[in-house]
Amino acid sequence: MHWLETRIPPPIVMLLLGLAALAAAQYAPAFAFHVAFQTALAIAVALVGLALNLLPKRAFRRAGTTVNPLHPAASTRLVTSGIYRYTRNPMYLGHALILFGWTLHLGNALALFALPAFVLFVSRFQIQPEERALARRFPEHALYCRQVRRWL
């Protein structure tokens, strides 16, 4: 399965799982649910996810390093400030929250399975290879990993 590592951009994974969630919601209406303020909550969660996805990209650009998830070895700096003091992967966390907002909007329990699928896929095929590449490139990466959680 190594051939899948850093091959599919996480936004594409998010979109594909979002489509799978939509299919689940359409073809399994028996699993529908509704919570108070569902649409507002879904929008709020997705907006937080969008912010967590966009703000770190600014930090990467300011640091003069790549945001391309397919080439982690091309990183020129290890960004550990700002949101990176609390999570090592705020962009992926942002994708997960956008996906969660979408599945909440769909209001289907089966659709919610897209979220753990995203976390598992991205953890295995994106984050782990990225962390190996960063550890080879930046000796301080090991200490950073001990101090800051991967997701939250």
Side-chain angles (χ1 to χ4, degrees), residues 14 23 28 34 66 77 89 110 120-121 152:
M14 177 189 68
H34 181 76
T66 183
R77 295 195 187 191
N89 297 286
L110 282 181
L120 290 172
F121 186 92
L152 277 179

Side-chain angles (χ1 to χ4, degrees), residues 9-144:
I12 300 298
V13 175
M14 177 189 68
L15 290 172
L16 291 173
L17 287 168
L19 289 173
L22 177 62
Q26 289 180 338
Y27 294 108
F31 292 92
F33 66 82
H34 181 76
V35 296
F37 307 105
Q38 186 167 331
T39 300
L41 187 58
I43 291 170
V45 168
L47 287 174
V48 169
L50 185 61
L52 282 173
N53 190 260
L54 296 177
L55 293 175
K57 289 178 180 166
R58 288 183 50 210
F60 270 44
R61 287 192 185 97
R62 271 189 256 128
T65 192
T66 183
V67 296
N68 186 343
L70 303 183
H71 303 289
S75 296
T76 57
R77 295 195 187 191
L78 183 63
V79 178
T80 60
S81 60
I83 189 71
Y84 286 93
R85 289 178 293 164
Y86 308 103
T87 173
R88 296 194 315 255
N89 297 286
M91 288 183 248
Y92 303 146
L93 178 58
H95 290 136
L97 288 175
I98 291 167
L99 185 59
F100 179 54
W102 171 244
T103 59
L104 187 57
H105 166 72
L106 293 173
N108 186 286
L110 282 181
L112 291 171
F113 281 103
L115 187 59
F118 177 82
V119 169
L120 290 172
F121 186 92
V122 169
S123 291
R124 169 59 184 89
F125 296 110
Q126 189 63 45
I127 294 173
Q128 288 178 9
E130 277 181 11
E131 289 189 341
R132 285 193 306 268
L134 293 172
R136 284 190 297 271
R137 191 151 175 90
F138 306 104
E140 64 272 26
H141 186 262
L143 176 61
Y144 175 63

